Amino acid sequence: MSNRRSPWLTLFTFGVYIFLYAPIVVLILFAFNSSRQNVVFESVVNKEPCGVFYWFCALTNNSDAIDAAGNTLTIAITSTILSTIIGTMAALGLQRYTFRLKSFSEVSLYIPIVIPEIVMGISLLVLFNGIFNGLNNAMQLAGDQRLGLGLGTVIVSHIAFSVPFVVLTVRARLHSFDKSVEEAAMDLGANEWTTFRRVTLPMIMPGVLSGAMLAFTLSLDDFIITFFTNGPGSTTLPIYVYGLLRRTITPEVNALSTVWIMVVLIALIVSRRLQRRAA
Amino acid sequence: MGELAVELRDVVKEFSDSEQIREVVAAVNHVSLQIHDGEFFSLLGPSGCGKTTSLRMIAGFELPTSGDVLIQGKPMGRTPPFQRPVNTVFQNYALFPHMTIGQNVAFGLEMKGVPKAEIGPRVQEALAMVRLPGYDKRKPRQLSGGQQQRVALARALVNRPAVLLLDEPLGALDLKLRKEMQLELKTLQREVGITFIYVTHDQEEALTMSDRIAVMNRGKVLQVGNSSDIYETPNCRFVADFIGEMNFIKGIIQAQAGRSATVGLDGGLTVHARCEQSIAAGTEISVAVRPEKMNIDSSAKMDNEFQGRVVSIVYIGTDTHYGIRLAGDQLVRVREQNNTPGSRPLASEGAEVKVSFAAEAARVLTA
Ligand SMILES: Nc1ncnc2c1ncn2[C@@H]1O[C@H](COP(=O)(O)OP(=O)(O)OP(=O)(O)O)[C@@H](O)[C@H]1O
Ligand SMILES: [Mg+2]
């Protein structure tokens, strides 16, 4: 009998789920709207080409959207790989060694998490502009040769805000890590690199994977920092959609968002699979 | 005596407390040891005396601050752990949790580049040796503590190291299992003939298993010898006190002739005892006598005989322990074996008794 839950609890749970998912359902629904004006749902679109999936097909002809999607993925994948490597190494270093300014470096790592994104965006912009100005002047570059904001600066910025999250998740995993297991590997003849590859890394893999997943999703949907640090040819999906919103919202945007949600969902499922295998 | 398997030459290990660089702790303080090939050698001492640190310096996890570690006659210098011909069984087993038992045991062989075809049979052989055949597909967390312990042993032994280092390998097991494993370990060591260096703070464990024991305290080795040397002829008060039970009777040297000394006790009593070093008359010393080497109301004539009053009796089955206050107010403990059918206590509480022991059974200890 004690297993009977209160009906209110069930109701409340449903309420929370509706609150969370109703917007997403509506968003997906409007991707099938027949009206260009994305305010009321007229009827399910059924136009050539592609019938019901008219807006999805329209998307494939939209080179701006495809470029933006490509940029977003390039940036997300590159920054995820790099920030996972850097973050994992930092976490291991912080765990293993004591050095001067250790607590300072620990605290400073977490600053990007707590400072407002807009502040970080502005400071990165100032930094990049300073560097590029200096370099352009020093190397006397002109016109097209001049270095400036682009994919590179966005990737560097994304790495900057992702690394602390990776460090955080990997350190949580390292907290329960028994150093004598590494010693056992060395004792059995494994050098430092083999020990890391065969023992340390597999043992912290779940932490590394969730760190990577965090970095990936943070990068995918980052708007503010990307807004400040992107340049010609490095427009990402959030920036592109924001640009569209200022003009007209067509169901194309909804179709785009639907695809986007699917990608994130797949990434989530894959990472959970990997994590379960690693644990 | 065979070749030396491991030698420590005047080894010192100081840890500088990283927070306050000024504070320097000598965990191991000028230790020299010679451990022979095929020997079961124990490092015995209380918590924090430097046993683990000594072992870790042999394994290569720590480098000595000064002094040398030699393995099979070769100075180890800064040789990393993975290049030393020793293997370690860790106190908490330190099995690789993400690998199966088979992969755990195969790890060392793989690292050595043993051909694949040879690894399988050797892993099976090692698991059979520790009585865990057929467990190779399991994960460490699916085994009990005692089984994990044996896997750790198999993982180390499969490499056929010159020396096996064991850091309190039975510490986490319950008493019964510990006793079983003690016997197993000792048998195994005889069979494989590998030198064992065994760290323990359990004196009984050390006494029953070891060929020789080094008793350590505060980073120093106080005495090295076989079990009976250590028990019968402790060379200092710490060893006498740490191993087994001991009566210490305070006194002053009155006279010494060769190895026998006459010691004056409170209350005008004198005791005849063995004395290994020459000590000036008038020096304050302790006379150490084991409780089981004292007798109550014995008819045999002994070198030392005292009157005393029984103040406590504890019956523990095999023995009865008597607390007896001597005429000079010294409290001694006497242990009598209950070795006759239907043994009854030799005296009752409050009774006046005669306590006697041989001069050979009493030792003069300074420190
Ligand atoms: N990494 C370290 N840093 C600082 N001090 C240390 C370190 N390792 C050991 N010590 C100190 O060295 C001394 C000896 O330690 P060790 O671990 O060798 O003792 P032990 O004899 O193995 O004790 P136990 O029976 O408790 O395991 C202790 O006082 C300990 O605090
Ligand atoms: Mg220890």
Side-chain angles (χ1 to χ4, degrees):
Chain A
M1 278 297 132
S2 61
N3 264 344
R4 278 279 286 276
R5 269 156 307 194
S6 148
W8 291 107
L9 183 62
T10 317
L11 205 68
F12 180 73
T13 311
F14 268 109
V16 170
Y17 269 93
I18 287 170
F19 182 73
L20 283 176
Y21 288 104
I24 295 176
V25 171
V26 170
L27 177 116
I28 294 174
L29 199 67
F30 272 70
F32 300 95
N33 196 354
S34 59
S35 161
R36 267 198 83 79
Q37 250 50 48
N38 217 351
V39 190
V40 276
F41 193 84
E42 268 183 13
S43 61
V44 173
V45 68
N46 200 349
K47 259 194 287 192
E48 276 315 303
C50 306
V52 186
F53 293 103
Y54 177 82
W55 296 113
F56 290 85
C57 285
L59 205 57
T60 57
N61 296 323
N62 183 340
S63 65
D64 284 348
I66 289 178
D67 284 351
N71 284 339
T72 305
L73 280 180
T74 310
I75 292 164
I77 291 170
T78 319
S79 73
T80 299
I81 292 172
L82 292 177
S83 59
T84 304
I85 293 171
I86 296 169
T88 304
M89 293 198 306
L92 284 168
L94 284 171
Q95 172 81 5
R96 226 168 263 187
Y97 306 111
T98 43
F99 46 90
R100 271 199 290 170
L101 297 181
K102 176 171 174 170
S103 46
F104 171 76
S105 22
E106 275 189 272
V107 172
S108 63
L109 251 179
Y110 299 134
I111 286 177
I113 296 180
V114 293
I115 63 165
E117 254 191 287
I118 194 153
V119 174
M120 190 162 166
I122 292 169
S123 44
L124 281 166
L125 178 63
V126 170
L127 174 76
F128 289 138
N129 277 339
I131 291 173
F132 288 141
N133 265 334
L135 284 178
N136 287 335
N137 289 342
M139 298 194 291
Q140 298 186 326
L141 300 173
D144 270 359
Q145 291 176 303
R146 288 179 72 87
L147 301 168
L149 300 174
L151 271 185
T153 49
V154 180
I155 290 173
V156 169
S157 315
H158 283 210
I159 292 172
F161 70 70
S162 299
V163 163
F165 288 95
V166 178
V167 175
L168 215 62
T169 46
V170 175
R171 284 204 82 184
R173 182 79 192 178
L174 280 172
H175 207 73
S176 57
F177 189 85
D178 179 7
K179 206 169 129 268
S180 63
V181 178
E182 283 179 333
E183 288 182 344
M186 292 228 199
D187 188 69
L188 292 165
N191 60 27
E192 289 90 345
W193 171 241
T194 311
T195 300
F196 177 74
R197 204 167 45 81
R198 296 280 310 269
V199 175
T200 317
L201 191 58
M203 282 177 72
I204 61 172
M205 205 37 143
V208 173
L209 283 178
S210 34
M213 186 63 206
L214 254 177
F216 187 72
T217 48
L218 283 173
S219 169
L220 267 193
D221 70 2
D222 178 72
F223 176 78
I224 301 176
I225 288 174
T226 313
F227 181 79
F228 283 98
T229 55
N230 80 351
S234 63
T235 303
T236 63
L237 278 179
I239 305 283
Y240 171 71
V241 171
Y242 177 70
L244 286 185
L245 291 185
R246 284 191 300 185
R247 283 175 268 143
T248 46
I249 323 166
T250 65
E252 222 177 294
V253 176
N254 293 62
L256 182 60
S257 309
T258 306
V259 173
W260 197 347
I261 288 171
M262 292 305 153
V263 169
V264 175
L265 213 61
I266 289 165
L268 193 72
I269 291 167
V270 168
S271 108
R272 285 203 52 105
R273 279 269 163 83
L274 286 175
Q275 265 176 356
R276 201 163 302 161
R277 257 224 328 254
Chain B
M1 291 283 173
E3 302 275 291
L4 288 186
V6 173
E7 189 177 0
L8 303 189
R9 284 192 192 150
D10 199 29
V11 169
V12 176
K13 178 69 191 180
E14 285 168 355
F15 290 106
S16 52
D17 234 310
S18 54
E19 304 291 306
Q20 292 109 26
I21 308 283
R22 275 161 284 139
E23 185 82 21
V24 173
V25 199
V28 172
N29 202 349
H30 298 285
V31 163
S32 295
L33 284 175
Q34 299 194 323
I35 297 156
H36 303 286
D37 238 351
E39 200 172 21
F40 196 120
F41 191 92
S42 291
L43 293 175
L44 174 66
S47 188
C49 70
K51 308 179 293 285
T52 298
T53 307
S54 305
L55 208 67
R56 289 172 60 82
M57 284 192 286
I58 300 172
F61 299 129
E62 309 277 0
L63 294 174
T65 310
S66 70
D68 288 314
V69 174
L70 291 87
I71 300 178
Q72 294 179 309
K74 283 195 277 297
M76 283 294 116
R78 307 182 66 86
T79 310
F82 48 86
Q83 285 166 2
R84 297 191 182 204
V86 300
N87 284 122
T88 308
V89 176
F90 293 82
Q91 172 161 18
N92 54 358
Y93 320 137
L95 299 179
F96 307 127
H98 58 294
M99 297 186 197
T100 63
I101 300 307
Q103 289 168 333
N104 264 280
V105 178
F107 191 85
L109 297 177
E110 257 178 72
M111 292 301 125
K112 273 207 244 168
V114 173
K116 272 242 152 60
E118 201 183 315
I119 292 181
R122 275 178 72 176
V123 168
Q124 298 306 330
E125 188 192 340
L127 284 175
M129 186 165 64
V130 295
R131 298 203 276 117
L132 285 174
Y135 278 71
D136 51 339
K137 293 285 183 299
R138 297 217 203 168
K139 286 283 185 80
R141 62 168 171 273
Q142 295 169 311
L143 301 189
S144 74
Q147 289 170 332
Q148 290 185 31
Q149 212 299 309
R150 286 187 230 181
V151 174
L153 203 62
R155 185 178 68 174
L157 281 174
V158 76
N159 306 293
R160 300 178 189 149
V163 181
L164 190 67
L165 309 174
L166 304 101
D167 190 358
E168 308 207 22
L170 310 181
L173 306 183
D174 65 54
L175 189 67
K176 188 163 176 297
L177 193 56
R178 199 152 80 215
K179 298 259 180 220
E180 271 175 39
M181 289 296 298
Q182 283 174 10
L183 276 178
E184 268 181 45
L185 267 180
K186 181 68 197 168
T187 318
L188 201 67
Q189 191 262 341
R190 283 218 192 91
E191 276 170 17
V192 296
I194 291 174
T195 312
F196 274 36
I197 304 181
Y198 191 96
V199 161
T200 181
H201 63 256
D202 181 343
Q203 40 135 332
E204 206 180 310
E205 194 166 287
L207 290 176
T208 51
M209 298 172 81
S210 319
D211 295 322
R212 285 195 307 151
I213 300 169
V215 183
M216 293 185 70
N217 190 34
R218 294 160 152 260
K220 286 191 188 292
V221 169
L222 300 177
Q223 187 170 7
V224 182
N226 64 31
S227 301
S228 64
D229 289 343
I230 300 276
Y231 188 81
E232 298 289 342
T233 57
N235 66 358
C236 63
R237 188 172 166 134
F238 179 85
V239 175
D241 198 19
F242 191 70
I243 314 283
E245 229 187 308
M246 186 67 94
N247 288 304
F248 291 102
I249 307 166
K250 279 211 180 83
I252 289 168
I253 294 279
Q254 288 181 338
Q256 186 177 6
R259 286 190 160 178
S260 73
T262 311
V263 179
L265 310 182
D266 283 351
L269 308 177
T270 57
V271 59
H272 302 282
R274 201 177 152 86
C275 185
E276 303 287 344
Q277 69 240 80
S278 76
I279 301 172
T283 312
E284 277 195 40
I285 50 89
S286 295
V287 177
V289 197
R290 298 257 178 224
E292 73 273 14
K293 300 205 193 291
M294 290 185 169
N295 296 304
I296 291 175
D297 288 340
S298 164
S299 52
K301 180 80 187 121
M302 297 272 196
D303 312 302
N304 298 301
E305 296 186 346
F306 301 104
Q307 284 305 118
R309 181 188 296 277
V310 177
V311 293
S312 68
I313 299 179
V314 180
Y315 177 80
I316 58 160
T318 54
D319 305 291
T320 306
H321 296 185
Y322 299 87
I324 296 173
R325 197 170 291 286
L326 302 184
D329 210 32
Q330 301 89 348
L331 188 66
V332 296
R333 294 220 270 166
V334 182
R335 185 186 294 188
E336 288 285 0
Q337 269 196 338
N338 299 325
N339 52 4
T340 54
S343 293
R344 318 196 110 250
L346 296 168
S348 50
E349 246 172 80
E352 286 286 337
V353 293
K354 183 186 78 179
V355 175
S356 54
F357 53 93
E360 275 300 300
R363 295 177 61 83
V364 171
L365 296 176
T366 48

